[in-house]
Amino acid sequence: MADNGSILTSCIIFYLSIGAAIFQILEEQNWKNAAENYVKEKEEFRRTYNLTDDALNKILQVVSEAAGQGVAITGDSQRNPWDWGNSFIFTNSIVTTIGYGNIAPRTNGGRIFCILFGLCGIPLCLVWVSEMGSFFGDRAKRLSGVLIEKGVSVKKVQFICIALFLLWGLLMHLVIPPFVFMYMENWTYLEGFYFCFITLTTVGFGDYVAGVNPALRYNAIYRVLTELWIYMGLAWLSLFFSWNVHMVVDTHKVLKKKWQKHRHR
Amino acid sequence: MADNGSILTSCIIFYLSIGAAIFQILEEQNWKNAAENYVKEKEEFRRTYNLTDDALNKILQVVSEAAGQGVAITGDSQRNPWDWGNSFIFTNSIVTTIGYGNIAPRTNGGRIFCILFGLCGIPLCLVWVSEMGSFFGDRAKRLSGVLIEKGVSVKKVQFICIALFLLWGLLMHLVIPPFVFMYMENWTYLEGFYFCFITLTTVGFGDYVAGVNPALRYNAIYRVLTELWIYMGLAWLSLFFSWNVHMVVDTHKVLKKKWQKHRHR
Ligand SMILES: [K+]
Ligand SMILES: [K+]
């Protein structure tokens, strides 16, 4: 890591610092406006409803605590965040390491079980996803075998395979899903796109989670398909990275051979 | 994936389903109590402060929207979640794919930049962390070289190295840090332990995040060290997995050799 390592380290510190400054520029004003607005509205409530400072603070304290326990603070109908369906989405978010955190265990028992569950579940999921990836990879190889047998040149087949693979990934995991989410979740296209990216990179902020809006009634099939879609995306990424490694290695081999030939001449 | 794959798939579906049921058992009652409590307290506020249903709902709507914009709903002093320090912790949470989500971009510009930032940052971080991992691995190899030269048997050296490596990981990344967090963040030991596990697996629910409690004053050094500690943990994990792969491959080779010898006899 001697010299290369320090360059890389400087690079990443620089990248993070600049990124932080840009986020500050982009987001700070929006937050300030919201905070100012909130202070004004609190003041208005105090006047309109004749509340003392103390009374309003007491109300807000209770609301904040309820929100911390996962209780929906507005509306009278409560949708249970820990029914089996929501718990299932939660377990999926642990093993994939997406961890939306829209719900998270609040009891000691739940937290201990969460640790134990992740300890076995995360490796299990990793193995499963890479298995799925190599399964799809094998199918692609078979397809290319059929094409080569039919007399298409190897270079052309390779090109077709890679193009189809990339196109599939782009369309099925970034371009088309936001339209589905626009319809099912009432998000904008950008919100849907942002959700897809944040989910499939396993960042999972949890500001947008598909299938858990308490104000909407979902079809169970839609919720299952969403989870399946996440795994398909992770499998695609796993295949993408293993293929990339293969290609880098292959290119390296080819270059080495050429270089050796050149040398022997 | 033919048969092995379907067994694995059934396994993971079973694991997730059972896990969901257990989380439901562990967490549902706690949520129900909190929700009932909240309904009662709302009712009490209505009576005590003479608020109509409509008025309270209006207040709660405003509070909910403010919370959605990242505004702290209780207390009068607002701590800026998008100052440079907090933004820096946020950029770290993107590139490591931890994605706590305690703050997340709310503007369209911020979201688009977040996608672009992650697109380059996540691979960069991955490379950096694995470089760090192999750097530490090299140091360990050197140490074992010195020990072997000093006449310690190879088996003993291997054992010492692996034991030290595992002990380091356990102590520095799971057992000791919760004590630090108990002191700095006023968490219980279990909360600190849960935070360590959820962070280093990159799940990152965001219910506990070190260094961002608006009610506390932090030392800048503590916040930087926390981020560094996260990278050290990820590097340790990267080394752990690459070593594991090595060991599996080595064992496989040894077994193959033995088997071939056996065959030739
Ligand atoms: K997360
Ligand atoms: K995550």
Side-chain angles (χ1 to χ4, degrees):
Chain A
M1 198 167 108
D3 213 39
N4 257 336
S6 13
I7 292 171
L8 191 60
T9 305
S10 317
C11 261
I12 205 153
I13 292 172
F14 180 75
Y15 187 77
L16 291 170
S17 306
I18 293 291
I22 295 175
F23 275 114
Q24 185 179 4
I25 293 167
L26 288 169
E27 291 292 329
E28 199 173 30
Q29 198 52 53
N30 178 60
W31 173 81
K32 271 185 184 160
N33 293 345
E36 267 170 36
N37 207 17
Y38 180 62
V39 170
K40 267 184 216 154
E41 285 182 300
K42 272 207 295 190
E43 192 49 50
E44 214 182 289
F45 285 138
R46 248 182 236 124
R47 268 188 293 126
T48 318
Y49 304 119
N50 239 334
L51 291 169
T52 61
D53 251 31
D54 215 45
L56 191 60
N57 280 341
K58 231 184 214 160
I59 295 179
L60 293 177
Q61 197 61 45
V62 165
V63 170
S64 164
E65 261 161 42
Q69 291 288 328
V71 176
I73 57 181
T74 56
D76 286 324
S77 68
Q78 289 279 349
R79 267 279 279 291
N80 185 346
W82 288 106
D83 63 6
W84 189 83
N86 284 324
S87 294
F88 185 74
I89 292 182
F90 174 70
T91 55
N92 277 288
S93 93
I94 300 175
V95 298
T96 54
T97 75
I98 294 173
Y100 290 119
N102 57 322
I103 54 170
R106 313 286 167 190
T107 65
N108 285 345
R111 282 175 187 154
I112 291 168
F113 180 67
C114 184
I115 292 171
L116 297 174
F117 187 78
L119 212 56
C120 313
I122 294 169
L124 191 65
C125 173
L126 220 67
V127 169
W128 188 53
V129 161
S130 66
E131 280 277 305
M132 269 213 293
S134 51
F135 173 75
F136 291 124
D138 284 349
R139 289 291 135 119
K141 265 182 205 163
R142 269 193 216 172
L143 173 75
S144 61
V146 169
L147 284 176
I148 288 170
E149 266 178 21
K150 278 193 177 164
V152 187
S153 79
V154 175
K155 241 185 182 169
K156 228 178 190 170
V157 169
Q158 261 183 344
F159 178 78
I160 291 172
C161 270
I162 292 175
L164 278 180
F165 176 70
L166 291 179
L167 203 70
W168 168 273
L170 261 178
L171 289 181
M172 293 305 289
H173 298 301
L174 281 178
V175 176
I176 296 175
F179 288 111
V180 178
F181 295 128
M182 279 168 84
Y183 178 73
M184 299 296 291
E185 310 275 348
N186 297 329
W187 294 341
T188 65
Y189 187 83
L190 178 64
E191 287 173 328
F193 192 85
Y194 169 77
F195 168 74
C196 293
F197 182 83
I198 293 298
T199 294
L200 293 182
T201 52
T202 74
V203 171
F205 289 130
D207 46 355
Y208 291 91
V209 185
V212 302
N213 187 343
L216 297 175
R217 282 247 149 260
Y218 296 100
N219 195 324
I221 294 171
Y222 163 73
R223 298 177 91 192
V224 170
L225 283 182
T226 308
E227 296 307 310
L228 210 65
W229 167 79
I230 292 174
Y231 287 106
M232 295 283 291
L234 297 179
W236 186 90
L237 275 173
S238 147
L239 188 57
F240 179 78
F241 278 107
S242 66
W243 267 21
N244 258 13
V245 170
H246 265 284
M247 273 173 208
V248 169
V249 172
D250 286 353
T251 316
H252 190 246
K253 272 184 193 163
V254 169
L255 286 177
K256 215 174 170 184
K257 256 189 196 166
K258 268 194 186 166
W259 183 73
Q260 279 172 343
K261 262 188 195 166
H262 193 80
R263 213 176 156 200
H264 281 291
R265 239 184 259 166
Chain B
M1 200 166 106
D3 213 39
N4 256 336
S6 12
I7 293 171
L8 192 60
T9 306
S10 318
C11 261
I12 205 152
I13 292 172
F14 181 75
Y15 187 77
L16 291 169
S17 308
I18 294 290
I22 295 174
F23 275 114
Q24 185 180 4
I25 293 166
L26 289 169
E27 291 292 329
E28 198 172 31
Q29 197 53 51
N30 179 60
W31 172 82
K32 270 185 185 160
N33 294 344
E36 266 169 35
N37 208 17
Y38 180 61
V39 170
K40 266 183 215 156
E41 285 181 299
K42 273 208 294 191
E43 192 50 50
E44 214 182 288
F45 286 139
R46 249 182 234 124
R47 270 187 292 126
T48 318
Y49 304 118
N50 239 334
L51 292 168
T52 60
D53 251 30
D54 216 45
L56 191 61
N57 280 341
K58 231 183 215 161
I59 295 178
L60 293 177
Q61 197 62 45
V62 166
V63 171
S64 163
E65 262 161 41
Q69 291 289 328
V71 176
I73 57 179
T74 56
D76 286 323
S77 68
Q78 289 279 348
R79 267 280 279 292
N80 185 345
W82 287 107
D83 62 7
W84 188 83
N86 283 323
S87 294
F88 185 74
I89 291 182
F90 174 69
T91 55
N92 277 287
S93 93
I94 299 175
V95 298
T96 54
T97 76
I98 293 173
Y100 290 119
N102 58 321
I103 54 169
R106 312 287 167 190
T107 64
N108 284 345
R111 280 174 188 155
I112 291 167
F113 180 67
C114 184
I115 292 171
L116 297 174
F117 188 78
L119 212 57
C120 313
I122 294 168
L124 191 65
C125 174
L126 219 67
V127 170
W128 187 54
V129 160
S130 66
E131 280 277 305
M132 270 215 291
S134 51
F135 172 75
F136 292 125
D138 283 350
R139 290 291 134 117
K141 266 182 204 162
R142 270 192 216 173
L143 174 74
S144 61
V146 169
L147 286 176
I148 288 171
E149 266 178 22
K150 279 191 177 169
V152 186
S153 77
V154 175
K155 241 185 181 168
K156 228 178 190 173
V157 168
Q158 261 183 344
F159 177 78
I160 291 173
C161 270
I162 292 174
L164 277 181
F165 176 71
L166 291 179
L167 202 70
W168 169 274
L170 260 177
L171 289 181
M172 294 305 289
H173 298 302
L174 281 178
V175 175
I176 297 175
F179 288 112
V180 179
F181 295 127
M182 278 168 85
Y183 177 73
M184 299 296 291
E185 310 275 349
N186 297 331
W187 294 341
T188 65
Y189 187 84
L190 179 64
E191 286 173 329
F193 192 86
Y194 169 76
F195 167 74
C196 293
F197 182 83
I198 294 298
T199 294
L200 294 181
T201 52
T202 75
V203 171
F205 289 130
D207 46 356
Y208 292 91
V209 185
V212 302
N213 188 342
L216 298 175
R217 283 247 148 258
Y218 294 101
N219 195 323
I221 295 170
Y222 163 72
R223 298 177 91 192
V224 169
L225 283 181
T226 308
E227 296 308 309
L228 209 66
W229 167 79
I230 292 175
Y231 287 106
M232 294 283 291
L234 296 179
W236 186 89
L237 275 173
S238 146
L239 187 58
F240 179 77
F241 278 108
S242 66
W243 267 20
N244 258 12
V245 170
H246 265 284
M247 274 173 206
V248 170
V249 171
D250 286 354
T251 316
H252 190 246
K253 270 185 194 163
V254 169
L255 286 176
K256 215 173 170 183
K257 257 188 195 166
K258 269 194 184 167
W259 182 74
Q260 278 172 342
K261 262 188 196 168
H262 193 81
R263 214 175 155 201
H264 281 291
R265 237 183 264 165

